[in-house]
Amino acid sequence: MTPAELYLDCSAALLDRVRAQLPAIRETADLFAKTILAGQMVHVFGSGHSRILVEEMWPRYGSFPGFNPIVELSLTFHNLVVGANGQRQAMFLENVSGLAARILRNFDLKAGDSALVVSSSGCNVVPVEMAEEFQRRGVKVVALISKDHAEASTTRHPGGKKLQDFADIVLDTGAPIGDAMVKIEGLETPVAPGSTVGGCLLVNAVKAEVAQRLTQAGQPPKVLTAGVLVGPEKATALFEAAYDEHARRLAPYYQTLGA
């Protein structure tokens, strides 16, 4: 079997791991739909490469308003790798206690809000404290982790907690310990991670379930849709309407901040 074939086989196994979590996916969709139907926001946070899953949720084609993507550039803009804005600094900041509370100081969270916090290891300080702070402020939390990797990892949280310790629902990407899934003969360490594959499956499965619930409740979502599918005029109208709705939903989280 070639490395590519092995990776594809491992990825197919992740699909089975996600399918086995359909009850938790539906429970998550119930929670998120309830928040959105109330005119409120599902806050979505991820640091490092977990940013990918935040942006997968919103805004992109096939997604819709109701989700508040919280992405800190200092924790995610590391494509320069070294030098200013490099990976070393991002990894350092990801484990600075108190940063999560400073991030959430920018939002007047509401009763009935919900949150999705993404971290493959579930052990870095900022995402753990983000979930902790959400729960402290009455927001229900869904944690998206790689369960085997998270359970095998050592947390850096000052209280010894992991992300799953501050979660009302836990979703598992199914990725293995260490994330990478392919072993190459003659190479000591494995390559080709799986958490993004499993994570994208989970995020979009939840998204689809939420869309159904909103539609059945008489509030069909404004979905960002390609012009090639609905025509350029309709696509532009959907984008504008979705962005306007996002702005209206987000405004109350700033309106009485600190009052």
Side-chain angles (χ1 to χ4, degrees):
M1 184 177 293
T2 68
E5 289 172 325
L6 180 57
Y7 184 77
L8 293 174
D9 279 357
C10 290
S11 295
L14 296 182
L15 178 59
D16 292 335
R17 289 284 292 270
V18 170
R19 188 182 299 277
Q21 298 172 73
L22 279 172
I25 289 169
R26 295 185 185 111
E27 184 181 3
T28 298
D30 287 342
L31 174 63
F32 290 175
K34 183 178 180 181
T35 293
I36 295 171
L37 287 169
Q40 296 175 226
M41 297 289 261
V42 179
H43 307 285
V44 188
F45 177 81
S47 59
H49 288 92
S50 295
R51 171 186 179 145
I52 296 168
L53 299 180
V54 176
E55 295 184 350
E56 185 71 18
M57 182 62 88
W58 165 262
R60 62 155 301 157
Y61 280 139
S63 64
F64 47 85
F67 301 94
N68 176 28
I70 302 175
V71 174
E72 288 286 309
L73 286 180
S74 62
L75 300 173
T76 59
F77 182 68
H78 44 65
N79 56 294
L80 298 177
V81 186
V82 297
N85 302 300
Q87 180 74 39
R88 292 187 179 95
Q89 299 95 298
M91 294 176 69
F92 176 84
L93 291 171
E94 197 172 30
N95 285 291
V96 173
S97 183
L99 181 55
R102 295 309 295 167
I103 295 169
L104 289 183
R105 174 62 179 82
N106 293 286
F107 302 98
D108 181 18
L109 300 179
K110 313 292 184 184
D113 288 358
S114 51
L116 174 67
V117 180
V118 186
S119 172
S120 185
S121 73
C123 288
N124 287 317
V125 171
V126 174
V128 177
E129 289 191 349
M130 184 67 70
E132 182 179 13
E133 184 69 12
F134 274 131
Q135 284 197 333
R136 187 184 71 80
R137 295 169 69 173
V139 175
K140 290 190 175 182
V141 175
V142 178
L144 178 51
I145 63 173
S146 297
K147 188 175 180 181
D148 290 346
H149 181 58
E151 291 181 351
S153 300
T154 301
T155 184
R156 298 188 180 187
H157 182 267
K161 301 292 187 179
K162 298 183 179 182
L163 177 54
Q164 53 266 45
D165 294 319
F166 298 107
D168 298 279
I169 303 171
V170 177
L171 298 175
D172 174 23
T173 69
I177 296 172
D179 205 350
M181 302 193 296
V182 177
K183 294 182 179 180
I184 305 294
E185 185 176 354
L187 180 62
E188 182 181 2
T189 50
V191 299
S195 60
T196 304
V197 175
C200 282
L201 290 170
L202 285 164
V203 162
N204 284 294
V206 168
K207 188 189 302 178
E209 291 280 336
V210 172
Q212 182 189 53
R213 284 156 176 73
L214 299 183
T215 302
Q216 290 177 339
Q219 296 185 31
K222 300 175 181 66
V223 182
L224 302 181
T225 306
V228 69
L229 188 63
V230 296
E233 291 185 4
K234 179 67 175 295
T236 298
L238 282 170
F239 270 75
E240 292 296 332
Y243 294 158
D244 287 342
E245 181 181 335
H246 178 81
R248 288 193 297 270
R249 285 178 176 272
L250 193 57
Y253 293 88
Y254 299 123
Q255 194 170 12
T256 57
L257 192 65

